[in-house]
Amino acid sequence: MSIRGIDVSDYQPNVNWQAVARDGITFSFVKSTEGATFVAQSFARNWAAMKAAGIQRGAYHFFRPASSIQGQIDLFLKTVKLEPGDLPPVLDVETTGGLSTTQLCDRAAIWLEAVEKATLMRPIIYTYPGFWDNLGTKRFADYPLWIAHYTTAEEPWVPGGWKTWTFWQYSDSGSVSGVSGNVDTNIFESVREGAQNYKVADIQRELRIKGFYQGAMDGKFGATTTAALISFQKSQGFNPDGIATLKTWAALMRKSPKVVVPPPAPTPAPPPTPAPISGVRLTQVFSSYKASASQDTALIWLQSQVPTSVLGEFAQKWRATTLPPDSNLRLIDVGKFYRGLAQQDQALDWLQKQISPAIITEFAQKWRSQSIVTNSPIRLIDACKFYRAAPNQNQALDWLEGRISPAILSEFFGRWQNANR
């Protein structure tokens, strides 16, 4: 079920929030701050009026990457006082400020981590596909995504390694009672029993973190997920309907909800894990995974050294914690999905015990190498395997294309087409 919302700034003066609510709008984001010094003139009035009208409210900060990060953190936290029921804070990222992707991401991470620590809510990232794809990063794919994509398609384009969207700004020319002129319109999709998608997997993960869910993280909204969600809703004083509405989702995003969970039965302490050879643990490996070509090569090599039966048993242990049912389990995929959960670490520790010390030692050497040194030139087949549309990869391919004759390229194109018929 789609829940309708809008977002406003100083460009929409004198919003009548009571009229907005009567028009069926149930949530709204409002611009609060920009950079290290700007506070939206309309913020304080909108913030109070949204609450009075019963509209679930959220605040966004327009990120200026080149401005003082601490100044931007302090300004947002001084201006926006989140209360129970409010939506998580939003970082609006749609300009580089002349910085590189790495610099922008490093500075954005500081804001995200500081604001999450202060508000006890994991922030939302707002962006649009063209901008984020040009950045060429998947670094923040574990944050909720608010995507701006104006399209007639049934779903927006989801960039940057995100598996799904949380909020979709689908138009900048909407018409809503109480707002003069055009306004940005958004939707949030609530989920209920019978759904099967990555949104459900996100709900399951949050319920497990809070102690309400012990089932498989499979993205299937079945009876077990419904029962867990109802228990969580009761703990919050919500209507226990078992539907992941926006109100329930926002409560799940809070780090310290009022939860009363029976303590688990005591379990005997596990035997100490032997110190791995050469100081490398698989949990450390996957916590530092950045999807670089050298890391992927090392993981592909390690997978080739592990017996199929061991990988199969590992897959069963791992899939009980995180992967959707349609995912093919490769060690590269493990790196993409790793979040440091206790169940994930247990599965990786089990796998490490099945691998000989000699293989672990050789893998550590491959993993720690900063580049891949071979005795022969790289094959184009290998280049295709590691292609991630990164700027340096595109530049290298453009350079190569400029050094191949048109006749050879034409013949290659013909062979490529024939191979795909």
Side-chain angles (χ1 to χ4, degrees), residues 122-135:
R122 193 158 185 77
I124 301 164
I125 292 180
Y126 170 94
T127 193
Y128 60 94
F131 174 78
W132 204 267
D133 280 340
N134 285 334
L135 287 182

Side-chain angles (χ1 to χ4, degrees), residues 346-367:
Q346 290 170 7
L348 288 170
D349 286 340
W350 178 89
L351 177 62
Q352 178 145 0
K353 293 175 184 177
Q354 317 308 311
I355 303 174
S356 72
I359 290 176
I360 289 291
T361 299
E362 187 171 351
F363 168 69
Q365 294 171 349
K366 294 177 181 293
W367 180 264

Side-chain angles (χ1 to χ4, degrees), residues 14-263:
N14 304 316
V15 176
N16 182 337
W17 289 103
Q18 296 292 340
V20 170
R22 287 194 296 270
D23 201 14
I25 298 299
T26 59
F27 73 91
S28 178
F29 293 101
V30 60
K31 182 175 182 178
S32 58
T33 48
E34 177 177 334
T37 58
F38 177 82
V39 177
Q41 206 170 29
S42 59
F43 172 73
R45 180 180 59 81
N46 282 331
W47 194 244
M50 285 191 291
K51 181 179 180 180
I55 291 177
Q56 197 165 1
R57 60 188 185 174
Y60 72 88
H61 172 77
F62 191 94
F63 187 50
R64 292 292 181 184
S67 298
S68 165
I69 299 302
Q70 191 59 52
Q72 296 189 67
I73 294 168
D74 293 342
L75 182 64
F76 180 83
L77 294 177
K78 177 182 177 181
T79 304
V80 180
K81 303 300 180 184
L82 295 174
E83 300 176 4
D86 290 338
L87 298 171
V90 179
L91 186 64
D92 180 345
V93 186
E94 49 184 301
T95 179
T96 65
L99 302 184
S100 69
T101 295
T102 299
Q103 290 171 323
L104 181 149
C105 290
D106 287 346
R107 294 168 73 81
I110 296 172
W111 191 98
L112 292 165
E113 291 168 6
V115 170
E116 180 174 359
K117 182 178 180 180
T119 63
L120 297 179
M121 298 188 81
R122 193 158 185 77
I124 301 164
I125 292 180
Y126 170 94
T127 193
Y128 60 94
F131 174 78
W132 204 267
D133 280 340
N134 285 334
L135 287 182
T137 182
K138 298 181 180 180
R139 184 165 170 182
F140 300 116
D142 55 341
Y143 284 83
L145 173 66
W146 176 14
I147 190 69
H149 187 201
Y150 312 143
T151 175
T152 58
E154 293 185 359
E155 294 280 341
W157 176 255
V158 177
W162 275 286
K163 298 298 183 183
T164 188
W165 54 273
T166 303
F167 296 91
W168 177 13
Q169 185 188 88
Y170 62 90
S171 175
D172 62 351
S173 56
S175 177
V176 173
S177 298
V179 182
S180 299
N182 293 336
V183 65
D184 296 339
T185 47
N186 305 269
I187 57 172
F188 172 92
E189 290 286 352
S190 59
V191 291
R192 63 179 69 201
E193 189 164 339
Q196 181 175 345
N197 52 44
Y198 284 107
K199 289 186 173 76
V200 177
D202 290 343
I203 295 295
Q204 290 171 333
R205 182 185 66 245
E206 295 303 323
L207 286 170
R208 171 166 285 182
I209 289 172
K210 290 169 176 58
F212 287 91
Y213 181 71
Q214 300 301 321
M217 306 283 282
D218 55 8
K220 295 180 180 179
F221 204 132
T224 303
T225 303
T226 299
L229 193 61
I230 288 174
S231 295
F232 174 75
Q233 290 172 326
K234 288 180 178 178
S235 76
Q236 301 296 296
F238 298 162
N239 175 31
D241 57 8
I243 302 173
T245 61
L246 182 56
K247 185 177 181 180
T248 297
W249 177 84
L252 281 169
M253 291 299 105
R254 283 195 169 272
K255 289 275 184 115
S256 301
K258 296 177 181 179
V259 175
V260 179
V261 182

Side-chain angles (χ1 to χ4, degrees), residues 248-327:
T248 297
W249 177 84
L252 281 169
M253 291 299 105
R254 283 195 169 272
K255 289 275 184 115
S256 301
K258 296 177 181 179
V259 175
V260 179
V261 182
T267 56
T273 303
I277 304 298
S278 302
V280 63
R281 290 186 59 189
L282 292 183
T283 51
Q284 295 172 336
V285 164
F286 288 105
S287 66
S288 62
Y289 178 71
K290 303 295 183 184
S292 69
S294 59
Q295 290 177 335
D296 284 353
T297 298
L299 289 174
I300 290 170
W301 178 88
L302 178 61
Q303 182 149 351
S304 70
Q305 306 302 308
V306 181
T308 303
S309 59
V310 171
L311 288 173
E313 188 169 351
F314 170 69
Q316 292 178 342
K317 295 177 181 294
W318 181 265
R319 285 194 172 106
T321 62
T322 181
L323 284 180
D326 59 344
S327 295

